[in-house]
């Protein structure tokens, strides 16, 4: 089985401070106007970058917002932001002024104004990062696919550079990844906090289609395959292991002191079960129903599904499945598909759905810890990328493996190694 390392990176809000000078009051009671020591002219702007056409201004006591707006208007400026709390606490109006002119022109206009106590360009700041973040999950060091230090005897840095990516974001709870697979063990201790839930059903009545989408009690997703491939239901609990293993790589909770960390420390995993508990009976009809569910949840219920993980496939070309994938693309959903496990060239022997010519499909083959081709399917034009996928430690369902919560899985379907 190919474990995909398609990382859905979304924006993490980074808080940084903007420092500017505060007016002081000398002993004689007169207001001393302070211009930040770092004030620079346009000719030296590149040394200390700032937001052009913006100026942070503090007014003297007694100047209210009506007067502030008048000062701005007379000088062809506007108030972009009022710092309400600071204004109230200090008894002076604090604002961010904006102009179509330059910051230099704004300073020249206001630096000697009787109502102005202090001014400063809106300087740009940088994050002071000591190094890549390291999660405290006890088995993180075993995840060579995220950060390969040669711990398994492989090549250092033969990985996806997860720590480097985590400097930008570790994920977001507003992002949903749909895993169409054997289901997901949604009560796994390293997955439960990152599982998507249908709030309308979770907070509704048992046995009732509370959201009116045609499924009763679809809290974590749906199960077109059922336990045996013949009786569908809405409980996508994993009875085989494959989907849970994929989900751990995608989004095991990071930095929680438990087990492993996923590519995304925080995300939402939607469980869609298209294979029964024996790992078989995974028909196109089940896949299409799961894709349709994703489209419906995104377009009609406002669920931010950004990607579908599909680590499965076969040799049959189905135009209806392709059309379903294309429809998901029009809804803004990327389709990440395994290239296949047979070790053949997909350019000459296609593997579907990864070989469909759809712009939204990302076809992925596996690499090993030596950063080399892992022996699975390949294709110069039909396979897009390779990513770590051989002997990957990840989550497994406790209902299938009651004595363990984590294990390694080789690329072949159901081929587990000790871990």
């Amino acid at each position: 089985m190919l474990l995909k390392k398609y990382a859905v990176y979304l924006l993490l809000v980074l808080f940084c401070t903007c420092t500017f000078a505060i007016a002081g009051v000398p002993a004689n009671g007169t207001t001393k106007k302070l211009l930040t020591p770092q004030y620079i002219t346009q000719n030296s702007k590149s040394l200390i970058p700032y937001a052009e056409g913006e100026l942070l201004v503090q007014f003297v006591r007694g100047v209210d917002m009506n007067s502030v707006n008048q000062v701005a208007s007379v000088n062809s400026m506007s108030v972009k932001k009022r710092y309400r709390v600071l204004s109230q606490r200090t008894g002076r109006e604090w604002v961010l002024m904006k102009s179509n002119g330059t910051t230099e022109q704004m300073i020249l206009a206001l630096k000697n104004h009787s109502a102005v106590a202090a001014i400063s360009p809106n300087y740009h700041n940088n994050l002071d990062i000591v190094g890549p973040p390291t999660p405290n999950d006890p088995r993180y060091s075993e995840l060579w696919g995220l950060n390969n230090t040669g711990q398994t005897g492989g090549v250092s840095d033969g990985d996806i550079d997860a720590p480097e990516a985590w400097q930008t974001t570790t994920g977001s709870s507003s992002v949903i990844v749909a895993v169409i697979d054997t289901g997901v063990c949604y009560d796994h201790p390293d997955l439960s906090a990152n599982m998507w839930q249908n709030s309308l059903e979770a907070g509704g009545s048992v046995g009732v289609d509370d959201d009116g989408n045609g499924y009763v009690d679809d809290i974590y997703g749906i199960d077109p395959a059922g336990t045996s491939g013949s009786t569908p239901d809405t409980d996508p609990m994993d009875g085989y292991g494959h989907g849970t293993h994929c989900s751990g790589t995608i989004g095991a909770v990071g930095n929680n002191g438990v087990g492993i960390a996923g590519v995304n420390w925080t995300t939402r995993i939607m469980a869609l079960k298209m294979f029964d508990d024996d790992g078989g009976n995974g028909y196109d009809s089940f896949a299409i129903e799961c894709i349709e569910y994703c489209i419906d949840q995104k377009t009609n219920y406002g669920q931010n599904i950004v990607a579908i993980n599909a680590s499965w496939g076969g040799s049959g070309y189905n135009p209806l499945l392709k059309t379903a994938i294309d429809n998901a693309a029009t809804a803004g959903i990327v389709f990440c598909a395994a290239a296949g496990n047979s070790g053949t060239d997909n350019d000459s022997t296609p593997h579907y759905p990864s070989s469909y010519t759809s712009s939204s499909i990302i076809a992925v083959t596996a690499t090993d810890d030596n950063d080399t081709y892992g022996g699975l399917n390949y294709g110069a034009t039909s396979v897009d990328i390779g990513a770590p996928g051989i002997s990957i430690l990840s989550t497994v369902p406790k209902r299938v493996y009651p004595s363990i919560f984590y294990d390694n899985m080789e690329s072949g379907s159901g081929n587990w190694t000790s871990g």
Side-chain angles (χ1 to χ4, degrees), residues 30 41 43 50 99 114 146 167 212 225 227 271 277 286-287 296 347 349 405:
T30 60
T41 64
N43 291 334
Y50 55 82
S99 170
S114 60
L146 302 187
Q167 292 185 35
T227 59
D277 288 352
F286 300 157
D296 185 39
D347 288 355
T349 307
F405 288 105

Side-chain angles (χ1 to χ4, degrees), residues 212 236 356:
Y356 289 133

Side-chain angles (χ1 to χ4, degrees), residues 84-411:
R84 177 180 57 83
V85 175
L86 286 170
S87 297
Q88 292 173 350
R89 288 177 63 87
T90 62
R92 303 166 183 266
E93 292 296 337
W94 296 46
V95 299
L96 175 63
M97 293 280 204
K98 186 170 180 61
S99 170
N100 290 328
T102 65
T103 300
E104 178 86 6
Q105 292 169 337
M106 297 175 73
I107 291 174
L108 292 175
L110 297 184
K111 69 177 183 177
N112 294 319
H113 198 290
S114 60
V116 175
I119 56 178
S120 171
N122 188 12
Y123 291 115
H124 178 269
N125 297 276
N126 296 306
L127 289 172
D128 293 327
I129 298 176
V130 176
T134 301
N136 62 11
D137 306 87
R139 302 191 69 174
Y140 166 69
S141 62
E142 300 176 57
L143 304 178
W144 70 265
L146 302 187
N147 187 34
N148 193 341
T149 61
Q151 66 268 53
T152 58
V155 175
S156 180
D157 202 35
D159 52 41
I160 66 167
D161 286 341
E164 290 80 356
W166 291 335
Q167 292 185 35
T168 300
T169 178
T170 55
S172 170
S173 60
S174 66
V175 172
I176 302 169
V177 180
V179 177
I180 301 179
D181 211 287
T182 62
V184 180
C185 181
Y186 46 74
D187 58 359
H188 191 287
D190 226 358
L191 292 174
S192 59
N194 276 350
M195 293 303 302
W196 172 81
Q197 287 195 38
N198 183 344
S199 59
L200 295 175
E201 292 289 347
S205 301
V206 177
V208 176
D209 181 8
D210 298 283
D211 58 1
N213 69 346
Y215 295 95
V216 175
D217 298 336
D218 52 320
I219 296 175
Y220 295 100
I222 58 173
D223 178 11
T227 59
S228 62
S230 60
T231 307
D233 56 59
T234 56
D235 181 9
M237 174 56 71
D238 190 355
Y240 182 73
H242 191 272
T244 300
H245 200 267
C246 290
S247 297
T249 297
I250 294 167
V253 180
N255 207 39
N256 65 342
V258 176
I260 65 169
V263 173
N264 300 281
W265 297 2
T266 304
T267 189
R268 290 292 176 263
I269 297 170
M270 176 182 287
L272 302 173
K273 186 176 176 181
M274 67 163 284
F275 291 89
D276 64 19
D277 288 352
D278 292 325
N281 293 312
Y283 296 105
D284 283 355
S285 60
F286 300 157
I288 291 172
E289 185 173 354
C290 291
I291 295 169
E292 180 191 49
Y293 186 86
C294 291
I295 297 171
D296 185 39
Q297 285 293 328
K298 181 157 190 176
T299 59
N300 295 321
Y301 295 90
Q303 301 301 302
N304 186 33
I305 303 168
V306 300
I308 290 172
N309 187 85
S311 292
W312 43 269
S315 57
Y317 180 95
N318 187 335
L320 296 178
L321 178 56
K322 179 184 184 301
T323 301
I325 294 170
D326 291 340
N327 271 270
T330 63
I333 303 173
V334 174
F335 194 88
C336 305
N341 294 347
S342 60
T344 56
D345 185 351
N346 285 0
D347 288 355
S348 57
T349 307
H351 173 273
Y352 302 107
S354 62
S355 292
Y356 289 133
T357 55
S358 299
S359 59
S360 65
I361 292 178
I362 301 175
V364 189
T365 191
T367 59
D368 60 22
D369 59 358
N370 286 309
D371 203 23
T372 58
Y373 164 61
L376 306 187
N377 290 20
Y378 57 94
T381 61
S382 57
V383 176
D384 299 305
I385 60 174
I390 307 296
S391 192
I392 300 296
L393 179 69
S394 190
T395 49
V396 294
K398 56 187 179 181
R399 285 168 175 76
V400 183
Y401 302 92
S403 62
I404 59 174
F405 288 105
Y406 307 90
D407 210 344
N408 290 343
M409 187 176 186
E410 293 289 358
S411 54

Side-chain angles (χ1 to χ4, degrees), residues 20-23 31 55-72 79-97 110 114-120:
F20 55 99
I22 302 175
T31 300
L55 192 67
L56 288 157
V57 185
Q58 185 196 62
F59 287 81
V60 299
R61 295 181 186 276
V63 176
D64 59 17
M65 278 304 298
N66 287 332
S67 299
V68 170
N69 287 321
Q70 289 177 4
V71 171
V79 175
K80 182 177 181 180
K81 169 72 178 179
R82 176 181 182 251
Y83 299 94
R84 177 180 57 83
V85 175
L86 286 170
S87 297
Q88 292 173 350
R89 288 177 63 87
T90 62
R92 303 166 183 266
E93 292 296 337
W94 296 46
V95 299
L96 175 63
M97 293 280 204
L110 297 184
S114 60
V116 175
I119 56 178
S120 171

Side-chain angles (χ1 to χ4, degrees), residues 12-18 125-128:
L12 176 68
V13 179
L14 301 173
F15 294 91
C16 54
T17 57
C18 230
N125 297 276
N126 296 306
L127 289 172
D128 293 327

